[in-house]
């Protein structure tokens, strides 16, 4: 006889069991119902049910962004994350130091009017007000966001690419050369993205009355000098940025490695994330001081050429002199670039930590093996 889900135990037990007292019968009835309910299959709750058992995975459910292992190292998503981190680190930091950059550029162009950092700020405040200190912030934000995307994204790509060409033994032996080659290759591409916005920024910041910002400055510059005029400062920009970036990345990697080796007794993978980010900022600041010194002559050339129509490198050297080329505006640039570079590495590595990636430098992450790629 088939047993119904709602059948009473009395309907299928022998009759002699019901000859006992009503109390015993009621207790037996409860016991049988409890046992039957414990044996019956339960509808599993979302908490009890193992993930993706019995049903296909939901393609719209994403894992938490900080879940370890979310992004595979050296995958397309890894390089995309590095690119996004570069946008945030370079665009935001350069925009934040626009007042310093504005004073620096004017000191380079007109040292008689802008004689020092303090007097330079005073002149700008008297003539243009507080709002004038942020003149050119839009082309700065857009230009250096594009540059940061290419700089950090392609650096990670070329570093891995050149390491694979060299092989594990030579990549470890000549790692500094790998850093230098990877950063130089990345910066060549990054400056092509930066150059048009840099040309507009310098013209807006150093020529009173030229334009209020990007919207009117960009078409005005194209109209007066043509589209190629946007790239007039590309070669000097390469001369400034390539040595700067080579120093920025190679010295940062070396400094961070030395900090973990000689200053912090704990291995990097056992250090807390805040401590690792502190190391990134410190290493970036020290690297930024070296960057400022190495790239400063070319920085003076870029400012001079973008400000003077038809000027040449020879004209700049003749007017500024070799000593002025190396020293004019240098103290301010050391402060600016040191802070800027430290903040960039801090933001970049903070973003990498946020998406579940290791911070840069110290211990190079091992490349994925063929077995891990296939699994």
């Amino acid at each position: 006889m088939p047993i119904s889900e709602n059948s009473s135990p009395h309907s299928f037990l022998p009759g002699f069991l019901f000859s006992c007292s009503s109390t015993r019968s009621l207790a037996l009835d409860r016991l049988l119902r409890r046992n039957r309910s414990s044996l019956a299959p339960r509808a599993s709750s979302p908490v009890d049910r193992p993930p993706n058992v019995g049903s296909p995975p939901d393609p719209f459910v994403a894992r938490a962004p900080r879940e370890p292992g979310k992004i595979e190292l050296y995958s397309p998503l890894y390089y995309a994350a590095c690119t996004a981190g570069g946008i945030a680190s370079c665009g935001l930091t350069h925009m934040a130091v626009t007042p310093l950059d504005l004073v620096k550029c004017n000191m380079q162009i007109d040292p008689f009017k802008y004689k020092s950092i303090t007097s330079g700020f005073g002149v700008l405040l008297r003539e243009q007000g507080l709002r004038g200190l942020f003149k050119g912030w839009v082309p700065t934000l857009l230009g250096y966001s594009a540059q940061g995307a290419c700089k950090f994204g392609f650096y990670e790509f070329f570093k891995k690419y050149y390491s694979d060409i060299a092989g594990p033994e030579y990549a470890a032996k000549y790692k500094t050369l790998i850093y230098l080659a990877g950063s130089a290759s990345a910066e060549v591409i990054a400056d092509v993205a930066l150059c048009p916005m840099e040309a507009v920024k310098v013209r807006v910041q150093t020529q009173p009355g030229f334009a209020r910002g990007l919207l009117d400055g960009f078409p005005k510059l194209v109209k007066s000098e043509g589209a190629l005029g946007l790239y007039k400062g590309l070669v000097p920009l390469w001369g400034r940025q390539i040595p700067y970036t080579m120093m920025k990345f190679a010295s940062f990697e070396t400094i961070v490695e030395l900090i973990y080796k000689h200053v912090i007794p704990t291995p990097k993978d056992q250090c807390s994330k805040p401590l690792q980010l502190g190391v990134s900022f410190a290493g970036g600041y020290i690297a930024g001081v070296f960057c400022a010194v190495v790239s400063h002559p070319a920085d003076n050339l870029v400012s001079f050429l973008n400000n003077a129509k038809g000027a040449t490198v020879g004209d700049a050297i003749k007017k500024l002199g070799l000593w002025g080329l190396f020293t004019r505006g240098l103290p301010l640039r050391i402060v600016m670039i040191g802070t800027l570079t430290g903040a960039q590495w801090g933001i970049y590595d903070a973003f990498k930590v946020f998406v579940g990636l290791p911070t840069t430098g110290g211990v190079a992450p091992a490349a994925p093996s063929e077995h891990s790629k296939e699994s």
Side-chain angles (χ1 to χ4, degrees):
M1 178 179 176
I3 300 173
S4 170
E5 180 72 14
N6 298 320
S7 299
S8 169
H10 299 163
S11 60
F12 58 89
L13 290 176
F16 71 87
L17 292 175
F18 308 132
S19 60
C20 55
S21 65
S22 59
T23 303
R24 183 179 299 175
S25 177
L26 181 60
L28 179 62
D29 182 79
R30 289 177 178 173
L31 177 62
L32 289 173
R33 286 185 182 277
R34 187 184 303 117
N35 290 339
R36 185 176 65 180
S37 63
S38 64
L39 294 175
R42 292 185 304 164
S44 57
S45 65
V47 176
D48 298 331
R49 187 185 302 120
N52 298 330
V53 173
S55 61
D58 189 347
F60 299 102
V61 176
R63 287 186 289 180
R66 280 168 285 190
E67 183 177 342
K70 178 181 180 291
I71 299 178
E72 180 185 356
L73 292 177
Y74 313 116
S75 65
L77 188 57
Y78 169 79
Y79 294 119
C82 295
T83 299
I87 292 174
S89 67
C90 288
L92 295 177
T93 52
H94 276 277
M95 182 186 69
V97 298
T98 296
L100 286 172
D101 187 43
L102 181 61
V103 173
K104 173 190 70 71
C105 288
N106 281 283
M107 287 177 64
Q108 292 170 332
I109 297 303
D110 192 351
F112 297 103
K113 183 177 181 180
Y114 301 90
K115 297 179 181 180
S116 66
I117 298 173
T118 53
S119 66
F121 274 108
V123 170
L124 288 172
L125 284 171
R126 285 196 306 270
E127 294 184 353
Q128 303 181 32
L130 188 62
R131 185 177 180 182
L133 292 178
F134 286 90
K135 200 171 187 180
W137 72 270
V138 176
T140 297
L141 175 62
L142 296 180
Y144 283 94
S145 292
Q147 186 216 32
C150 298
K151 180 190 302 228
F152 282 90
F154 279 109
Y155 171 69
E156 299 285 358
F157 171 80
F158 282 118
K159 184 169 68 169
K160 176 68 166 60
Y161 178 73
Y162 293 143
S163 296
D164 288 344
I165 292 176
E169 181 181 353
Y170 287 106
K173 186 176 181 179
Y174 301 107
K175 56 188 175 183
T176 302
L177 293 178
I178 298 290
Y179 302 148
L180 292 171
S183 57
S185 302
E187 191 60 38
V188 169
I189 301 171
D191 288 343
V192 175
L194 168 64
C195 195
M197 294 295 105
E198 180 75 1
V200 175
K201 175 189 79 72
V202 171
R203 193 67 65 89
V204 167
Q205 289 180 335
T206 59
Q207 285 191 4
F210 173 77
R212 290 173 297 177
L214 177 65
L215 292 180
D216 56 338
F218 188 89
K220 192 172 182 179
L221 184 58
V222 172
K223 185 177 180 180
S224 63
E225 299 190 25
L228 292 179
L230 295 171
Y231 288 93
K232 183 177 69 173
L234 180 59
V235 174
L237 191 61
W238 276 334
R240 180 188 79 184
Q241 289 298 131
I242 291 177
Y244 167 88
T245 301
M246 292 171 71
M247 180 65 73
K248 173 180 180 176
F249 283 85
S251 61
F252 172 82
E253 298 261 16
T254 303
I255 291 167
V256 168
E257 182 179 348
L258 291 174
I259 290 175
Y260 282 115
K261 187 175 182 180
H262 299 290
V263 179
I264 300 176
T266 307
K268 178 185 174 181
D269 57 356
Q270 297 178 22
C271 294
S272 65
K273 294 303 180 184
L275 178 58
Q276 292 185 36
L277 294 178
V279 171
S280 295
F281 177 82
Y285 196 98
I286 298 171
V289 174
F290 293 117
C291 293
V293 175
V294 168
S295 62
H296 192 65
D299 184 62
N300 274 321
L301 287 177
V302 170
S303 297
F304 186 90
L305 293 176
N306 281 324
N307 182 69
K309 185 176 181 179
T312 64
V313 174
D315 296 332
I317 296 175
K318 184 177 179 180
K319 182 173 182 178
L320 298 174
L322 285 177
W323 180 252
L325 198 64
F326 279 86
T327 60
R328 182 175 294 178
L330 180 59
L332 177 58
R333 192 158 187 267
I334 287 177
V335 175
M336 185 183 80
I337 297 300
T339 306
L340 197 71
T341 308
Q344 284 178 359
W345 279 114
I347 293 172
Y348 178 67
D349 275 349
F351 183 85
K352 289 176 74 175
V353 167
F354 175 75
V355 298
L357 293 171
T359 57
T360 311
V363 179
S369 63
E370 293 299 323
H371 176 73
S372 63
K373 290 180 180 179
E374 293 172 359
S375 59

